[in-house]
């Protein structure tokens, strides 16, 4: 349970971080909060040649309201009270790990890590948010539904750093809902769903039971049932496939009910 | 090897460390501060929790090199001249520890929670403890001990 050897590069500026990522290429991993990366190192599930530590890079710790969205910089921690200005983040963040891991874990790091059972990627897809990446070649923006490709796999290229994630705020009259079932508080979700309601529009995204946050076209009259009919969860040691399918029905119905309630309020 | 200077419980240490050395192993093995316990080494059990620049953090999920310039408090930094802190006294009076393995991490996390502007509610204390595994006393006396200080 000790990390394998790696080179350690402490970047103090964005330019230094991007130069280090360019130099190390595919062999590099970005170290931000480290709440997923360091466990993976300790268990030797990953053996990167180099870690590029971005914690001291200036200018990446902003939370900014911009064009109806909340823009969150790369080193903003999940415990940051400024995030609570976003109603969906305020609902989902208490489920992200524990108080102490949220003190270090970053919002952008969770997005870049792309664990299919993580709450923040699901929220970003539900909101149709954006990932802003930078490399020495320049910057680009990737919409969340195109960013998450599969388990722990994203559209990020070697040399790229997520500098900001952009979280659209629900418009007036819209409502967001989030529901998950986990074995214990703070554990990864066995199953989770988010819903966004605006007038007759209903958007539903499910997670944990799929390889990436997945938007489903659901029947607004019976959202849970129709969502459950569209996914084929694989069972695991904690829950059978049949039980997980039943959880999809439950969490989708609860998330939709919550979103409708908030839209009406 | 990388040179770091780190303040632990008010004392400055200058040490050369390998990048892959975990902060928990640095505190225990290099500095001899074995009050910080190591349980799961993947951030789940909470036993290694310390305060890092004032904020509660898992020392098994930090590298010693990241602590360069940081101010760290471990459980050894709580009592002064043998006098326990009010929280430690509350743990004693509520029988909130038995084997004591989880206790240092819980104390450090609770000290952080109690230092916030608003005193924590009982629900917030329970939520905090979801990140700390205790296998002997049961959680009720631990919640009671922290709640007593929150009310004070």
């Amino acid at each position: 349970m000790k990390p394998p050897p790696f080179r350690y590069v402490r970047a103090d500026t964005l330019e230094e971080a991007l130069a280090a990522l360019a130099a190390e290429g595919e062999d590099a991993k970005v170290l931000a909060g480290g709440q997923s990366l360091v466990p993976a190192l300790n268990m030797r599930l990953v053996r990167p040649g180099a870690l590029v530590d971005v914690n001291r890079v200036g200018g990446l710790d902003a939370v900014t309201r911009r064009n109806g969205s909340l823009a969150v910089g790369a080193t903003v921690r999940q415990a940051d009270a400024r995030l609570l200005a976003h109603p969906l983040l305020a609902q989902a963040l208490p489920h992200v790990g524990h108080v102490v891991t949220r003190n270090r874990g970053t919002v952008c790091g969770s997005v870049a890590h792309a664990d299919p059972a993580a709450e923040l990627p699901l929220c970003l897809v539900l909101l149709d948010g954006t990932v802003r990446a930078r490399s020495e070649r320049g910057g680009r923006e990737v919409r969340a539904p195109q960013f998450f490709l599969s388990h722990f796999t994203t559209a990020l290229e070697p040399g790229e750093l997520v500098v900001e994630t952009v979280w659209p705020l629900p418009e007036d009259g819209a409502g967001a809902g989030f529901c998950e079932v986990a074995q214990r508080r703070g554990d990864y979700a066995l199953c989770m769903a988010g819903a966004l309601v605006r007038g007759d529009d209903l958007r539903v995204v499910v997670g944990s039971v799929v390889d990436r946050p997945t938007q489903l076209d659901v029947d607004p009259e019976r959202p849970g049932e129709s969502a459950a009919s569209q996914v084929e969860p694989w069972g695991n040691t904690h829950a059978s496939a049949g039980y997980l399918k039943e959880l999809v029905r439950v969490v989708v119905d609860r998330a939709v009910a919550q979103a409708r309630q908030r839209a009406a309020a | 090897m990388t040179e770091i200077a780190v303040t632990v419980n008010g004392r400055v240490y200058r040490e050369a460390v390998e990048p892959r050395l975990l902060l928990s192993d640095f505190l225990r093995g290099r500095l001899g501060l074995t009050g910080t316990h190591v349980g799961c080494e993947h951030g789940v059990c909470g036993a290694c929790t310390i305060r890092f620049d004032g904020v509660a953090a898992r020392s098994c999920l930090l590298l010693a090199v990241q602590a360069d310039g940081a101010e760290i408090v471990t459980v050894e930094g709580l009592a002064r001249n043998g006098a326990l802190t009010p929280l430690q006294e509350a743990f004693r009076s509520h029988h909130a520890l038995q084997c004591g393995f989880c206790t240092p991490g819980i104390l450090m996390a609770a000290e952080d929670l109690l230092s916030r502007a608003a005193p924590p509610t009982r629900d917030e204390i329970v939520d905090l403890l979801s990140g700390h595994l205790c296998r002997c006393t049961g959680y009720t006396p631990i919640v009671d001990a922290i709640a007593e200080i929150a009310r004070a």
Side-chain angles (χ1 to χ4, degrees), chain A residues 119-133:
Chain A
E119 293 81 2
L120 293 171
L122 179 142
C123 293
L124 197 63
V125 171
L126 178 66
L127 297 167
D128 198 13
T130 304
V131 177
R132 293 190 54 235

Side-chain angles (χ1 to χ4, degrees), chain B residues 35-51:
Chain B
T36 297
H37 291 166
V38 169
C40 71
E41 292 192 312
H42 60 280
V44 173
C45 79
C48 70
T49 302
I50 56 160
R51 290 180 79 179

Side-chain angles (χ1 to χ4, degrees), chain A residues 31-251:
Chain A
L31 175 61
Q35 303 299 289
S36 298
L37 175 59
V38 181
L41 287 169
N42 287 355
M43 292 187 266
R44 302 208 173 187
L45 297 171
V46 290
R47 288 173 176 271
L51 293 192
V52 180
D53 183 350
V54 297
N55 282 287
R56 297 176 199 238
V57 172
L60 295 181
D61 58 351
V63 176
T64 321
R65 209 179 260 261
R66 189 193 305 147
N67 306 327
S69 293
L70 208 62
V72 178
T75 56
V76 174
R77 313 285 166 184
Q78 292 152 3
D80 197 312
R82 295 173 296 176
L83 298 168
L84 304 179
H86 196 295
L88 182 63
L89 289 177
Q91 278 169 277
L93 280 168
H95 297 278
V96 179
H98 303 284
V99 171
V100 174
T101 61
R102 291 197 293 274
N103 284 343
R104 289 293 302 173
T106 64
V107 169
C108 290
S110 177
V111 168
H113 186 57
D115 190 316
E119 293 81 2
L120 293 171
L122 179 142
C123 293
L124 197 63
V125 171
L126 178 66
L127 297 167
D128 198 13
T130 304
V131 177
R132 293 190 54 235
R134 281 280 302 272
S135 72
E136 283 208 313
R137 301 180 299 279
R140 66 177 179 131
E141 300 193 346
V142 186
R143 296 285 280 275
Q146 283 79 52
F147 182 77
F148 300 102
L149 303 180
S150 189
H151 305 267
F152 306 105
T153 309
T154 69
L156 275 183
E157 305 271 353
E160 281 188 315
L161 172 71
V162 174
V163 288
E164 192 175 73
T165 48
V166 183
W167 306 76
L169 290 150
E171 296 159 31
D172 285 344
F178 178 85
C179 180
E180 82 167 46
V181 173
Q183 282 193 299
R184 288 165 294 265
R185 179 111 179 148
D187 281 11
Y188 283 106
L190 287 173
C191 183
M192 60 180 164
L196 204 56
V197 168
R198 203 180 97 229
D200 290 336
D201 280 348
L202 171 62
R203 193 175 155 87
V204 169
V205 175
V206 296
S208 289
V209 291
V210 277
D211 70 341
R212 60 185 180 278
T214 303
Q215 195 201 336
L216 302 174
D217 280 323
V218 300
D219 177 353
E221 300 294 321
R222 39 180 206 94
E225 243 179 87
S226 86
S229 73
Q230 295 175 55
V231 294
E232 287 303 331
W234 53 96
N236 58 50
T237 46
H238 305 301
S240 67
Y243 175 71
L244 291 174
K245 212 169 168 70
E246 173 62 9
L247 281 187
V248 174
R249 186 184 68 75
V250 171
V251 297

Side-chain angles (χ1 to χ4, degrees), chain B residues 1-5 14-19 21 26 30 64-65:
Chain B
M1 298 289 252
T2 306
E3 294 283 334
I4 62 167
R14 288 174 205 284
E15 296 280 334
V17 296
E18 206 187 344
L21 181 66
F26 173 77
R30 190 70 71 87
V65 284

Side-chain angles (χ1 to χ4, degrees), chain B residues 91 95-103 134-138 142:
Chain B
F91 266 60
H95 302 287
L97 69 158
Q98 187 174 314
C99 86
F101 195 86
C102 66
T103 313
C134 165
R135 300 298 297 272
C136 44
T137 68
I142 303 174

Side-chain angles (χ1 to χ4, degrees), chain A residues 10 53 55-56 77 103-104, chain B residues 5-10 23 27 49-59 62-74 108 111-112 115-116:
Chain A
R10 186 174 107 186
D53 183 350
N55 282 287
R56 297 176 199 238
R77 313 285 166 184
N103 284 343
R104 289 293 302 173
Chain B
V6 54
T7 306
V8 183
N9 303 330
L23 183 57
L27 293 170
T49 302
I50 56 160
R51 290 180 79 179
F52 187 89
D53 287 334
V55 179
R58 303 284 199 242
S59 61
L62 282 158
L63 304 169
V65 284
Q66 291 183 275
D68 186 29
E71 195 137 333
I72 289 171
V73 182
T74 68
M108 301 319 289
E111 289 279 0
D112 181 10
S115 71
R116 305 291 169 93

